[in-house]
Amino acid sequence: MTKKLTLYSQPGCESCGILKTLLKEEGYTYKEINVFEHRAVWDSIREREEGVMYSPTLSIQIPKEKRIIYLSAGRDFDKEEEGIVQLKKLL
């Protein structure tokens, strides 16, 4: 089953940079979306997903199950390392 990983981030975000480094160190490939450049997409996610307010936010698209799971800073993890732990549980 193929899962697509997307990182929603913003320039100058220290947590975003740390999470990008950790993702690379763990060997994950992902698409990065700048929330300032794609504001409508980001706003739509924030409206649909309760508690998603901050970047970095990861989305894991699971095509076979036709669903997307979001892991968001401040909701699902406080430290970037915790985000990686949560991601591993889902993959």
Side-chain angles (χ1 to χ4, degrees), residues 5-17:
L5 185 61
T6 303
L7 174 65
Y8 296 89
S9 66
Q10 58 184 317
C13 167
E14 183 178 349
S15 293
C16 298

Side-chain angles (χ1 to χ4, degrees), residues 22-41:
L22 292 172
L23 288 167
K24 288 177 186 173
E25 287 175 356
E26 293 288 333
Y28 292 108
T29 57
Y30 60 92
K31 177 181 178 181
E32 184 175 1
I33 295 180
N34 180 322
V35 298
F36 292 138
E37 292 175 2
H38 301 277
R39 179 56 89 184
V41 171

Side-chain angles (χ1 to χ4, degrees), residues 5 7 14-16 18 25 27 34 37 40 46 51 53-54 58 64 72-73 75 78 85-86 88:
L5 185 61
L7 174 65
E14 183 178 349
S15 293
C16 298
I18 293 169
E25 287 175 356
N34 180 322
E37 292 175 2
R46 291 177 63 200
M53 298 177 62
Y54 307 108
L58 290 166
K64 187 174 181 180
S72 184
R75 181 185 78 170
D78 292 316
V85 169
Q86 294 294 329
K88 286 180 179 180

Side-chain angles (χ1 to χ4, degrees), residues 37-49:
E37 292 175 2
H38 301 277
R39 179 56 89 184
V41 171
W42 179 238
D43 287 345
S44 175
I45 292 167
R46 291 177 63 200
E47 288 173 13
R48 281 192 325 268
E49 296 295 319

